[in-house]
Amino acid sequence: MAGLWFVLPALVVYFMFFGLPFLATIGLSFTDWNGLGWPDFTGIANYARLAVDGAMWSALANNLIWVVLGTVVPVVVGLILAVMLWSDARGSVAYRTIFFLPVILSPVVIGVIWGWIYNPLFGLLNTGLREIGLGRWATGWLGESETALYAVLLTAIWSYFGFCIVVLFAGLQKVNPELVEAARIDGASAPQRFRHVIVPQIAPVLTMVIVYTVIGGFNAFDMVWVMTQGGPNNASEVIATYTYEVAFRGNEYGYGATLSMVMSVVALLAAWATMVLRRRAG
Amino acid sequence: MAGNRHRQRRAWATAGRHGLLILFAVISLYPILVTWFTALRPAMQSQQDPFGLPWPPIWENVANAWVKGRFGDYLMNSVIIAIPTVIGVVVLSALAGYGIARFRFPGRALAFGAILLGLTIPFQSVMIPLYYQLLQMGLLGSYWAVILPGIAFGLPFGVFLMAAFFEDLPKELHEAARVDGCSELRIFWSVMLPLAKPAVSTLIVFQFMRTWNEFLMPLLYLQDEAKRPIPLGLMFFQGTYTRDIGLIAAGVTLATVPVIIVYLIFQRQFVRGLTAGAVK
């Protein structure tokens, strides 16, 4: 029984500040509550409302764009650069130090930096475009519906592509160079060696990186909130910012709880799907 | 001849490779550097020539951000929140991870499963009831309102990491100490914990970064202006001084420079801490 005494302090804190409010969220998701008085039980009305909540679906669609682009781009860039660092060690430590730098910064700090880069009047991006004669491309990147989501997403990708490089590089340390050399002698081209010899050996690490970017994509909040608050006209709205607005700006705590249950279910599904994929891969 | 051409091709490939690596290094660094430059020159000059170097540097913006922008206070608040949170997570995770890895007791699988569930559930799924819970407990608006939930949210990864570490230690160690007549707590404190130093330092750095950069929790539960940690302070600061880019850049500089210095010193722990979950 001694084990229980070791685990108990953690369990108490965890239950008080995670377990209890999580159970309360499940309960609250079946009610209508404006934060005053007692919540009204409304059965599955909130869940039925999800089906016809266009704003929720368009936010989820934005999450999907975020998940796909926010995974493919940094993973592909990360793989290419990690393999380059791996095959030629010169300066590898310095490069990795620099690539990892944005990873340690807070999303708020990064949001402020890039908000300023995107500034329509004096931002670096527009100033740079004007200087190289592409002034007609200059636009209010965060203020236009067509570009807002992608401008925030690009910022997010900038903030963690270094994470992908460093993790994949760590995975590459376990690749057997003799196998790669043998494939080269057998006449396999560089892309073939990459696809058939290197990638299978780093498959577990690759899956873990993808889990990170996928879950991160569904939970994205900080950067969006700091840069656009989901605007303009909900163009960059994601499920987390929408949930925040419904709950704390609209004072609809019951439906807000339902939306946060959507986030939990999506995150659990994503984790489960990845685990299945991982098991199948090896 | 053929060998020469081969060597030449290799040289080009190497140059191309480093060209690409340097390009991405510049992409990583430039936004940060240019913000520091902006902090060190008059706003007027930044608007006219955003790519220029800040020479000679002026320190007026940084001084203003520190005093008028209260960045000294924000930095202090971040420290006040981070230290107890990190200590709480490390102590509770080490104890629980050890208990789970080294003992068999009823409910063990359930306890571990429940804690691991927290690895996937986002904070949004507790934020609404937690607000009212903290209000009822009289904690809302105090540092505890972000410290205690911060500890709870750090536990899933902490327990996972520590349990995995203690699982790998040889069982004989524990048996030997027990034969010597040490109490369980004594074995943990003087035999196991010293061995766990690498895992503990990884967890300290990971949790510190996480707490230092936390945004939504203080946004909801710490609305008192005097208690804002850096990210929250910076956001409101940006809202107040939108027009003064020199001052905002100075705020960003004060928020980034300390973290980057700490990162450069403890780089290995940082990388190990932030990538521990993925590489395992």
PDB file of all heavy atoms in Angstrom, chain B residues 1 26 29 92 221-222:
ATOM      1  N   MET B   1      40.228  13.332 -64.273  1.00  0.00           N
ATOM      2  CA  MET B   1      39.178  14.182 -64.859  1.00  0.00           C
ATOM      3  C   MET B   1      37.825  13.929 -64.209  1.00  0.00           C
ATOM      4  O   MET B   1      37.201  14.812 -63.654  1.00  0.00           O
ATOM      5  CB  MET B   1      39.055  13.892 -66.374  1.00  0.00           C
ATOM      6  CG  MET B   1      39.806  14.873 -67.272  1.00  0.00           C
ATOM      7  SD  MET B   1      39.354  16.588 -67.094  1.00  0.00           S
ATOM      8  CE  MET B   1      38.085  16.715 -68.346  1.00  0.00           C
ATOM      9  N   VAL B  26      18.465  32.530 -41.097  1.00  0.00           N
ATOM     10  CA  VAL B  26      18.113  33.953 -41.173  1.00  0.00           C
ATOM     11  C   VAL B  26      16.613  34.127 -40.914  1.00  0.00           C
ATOM     12  O   VAL B  26      16.189  35.030 -40.177  1.00  0.00           O
ATOM     13  CB  VAL B  26      18.513  34.543 -42.541  1.00  0.00           C
ATOM     14  CG1 VAL B  26      17.925  35.936 -42.730  1.00  0.00           C
ATOM     15  CG2 VAL B  26      20.029  34.575 -42.678  1.00  0.00           C
ATOM     16  N   LEU B  29      16.018  33.906 -37.211  1.00  0.00           N
ATOM     17  CA  LEU B  29      16.618  34.958 -36.383  1.00  0.00           C
ATOM     18  C   LEU B  29      16.104  36.358 -36.687  1.00  0.00           C
ATOM     19  O   LEU B  29      15.920  37.164 -35.784  1.00  0.00           O
ATOM     20  CB  LEU B  29      18.142  34.978 -36.596  1.00  0.00           C
ATOM     21  CG  LEU B  29      18.993  34.106 -35.705  1.00  0.00           C
ATOM     22  CD1 LEU B  29      20.465  34.355 -36.016  1.00  0.00           C
ATOM     23  CD2 LEU B  29      18.724  34.417 -34.234  1.00  0.00           C
ATOM     24  N   LEU B  92       5.531  16.670  -6.732  1.00  0.00           N
ATOM     25  CA  LEU B  92       4.399  15.748  -6.825  1.00  0.00           C
ATOM     26  C   LEU B  92       4.621  14.701  -7.916  1.00  0.00           C
ATOM     27  O   LEU B  92       4.262  13.536  -7.738  1.00  0.00           O
ATOM     28  CB  LEU B  92       3.102  16.522  -7.098  1.00  0.00           C
ATOM     29  CG  LEU B  92       2.646  17.479  -5.996  1.00  0.00           C
ATOM     30  CD1 LEU B  92       1.330  18.139  -6.366  1.00  0.00           C
ATOM     31  CD2 LEU B  92       2.511  16.734  -4.673  1.00  0.00           C
ATOM     32  N   TYR B 221      -7.918  34.114 -15.028  1.00  0.00           N
ATOM     33  CA  TYR B 221      -8.000  34.052 -13.568  1.00  0.00           C
ATOM     34  C   TYR B 221      -7.177  35.109 -12.844  1.00  0.00           C
ATOM     35  O   TYR B 221      -7.168  35.149 -11.628  1.00  0.00           O
ATOM     36  CB  TYR B 221      -7.549  32.656 -13.079  1.00  0.00           C
ATOM     37  CG  TYR B 221      -8.273  31.514 -13.729  1.00  0.00           C
ATOM     38  CD1 TYR B 221      -7.635  30.306 -13.985  1.00  0.00           C
ATOM     39  CD2 TYR B 221      -9.613  31.628 -14.088  1.00  0.00           C
ATOM     40  CE1 TYR B 221      -8.296  29.248 -14.583  1.00  0.00           C
ATOM     41  CE2 TYR B 221     -10.287  30.582 -14.692  1.00  0.00           C
ATOM     42  CZ  TYR B 221      -9.628  29.392 -14.943  1.00  0.00           C
ATOM     43  OH  TYR B 221     -10.280  28.352 -15.534  1.00  0.00           O
ATOM     44  N   LEU B 222      -6.428  35.921 -13.583  1.00  0.00           N
ATOM     45  CA  LEU B 222      -5.534  36.868 -12.919  1.00  0.00           C
ATOM     46  C   LEU B 222      -5.731  38.251 -13.521  1.00  0.00           C
ATOM     47  O   LEU B 222      -4.837  38.811 -14.134  1.00  0.00           O
ATOM     48  CB  LEU B 222      -4.090  36.388 -13.117  1.00  0.00           C
ATOM     49  CG  LEU B 222      -3.060  36.768 -12.064  1.00  0.00           C
ATOM     50  CD1 LEU B 222      -3.499  36.345 -10.684  1.00  0.00           C
ATOM     51  CD2 LEU B 222      -1.725  36.130 -12.384  1.00  0.00           C
TER      52      LEU B 222
END
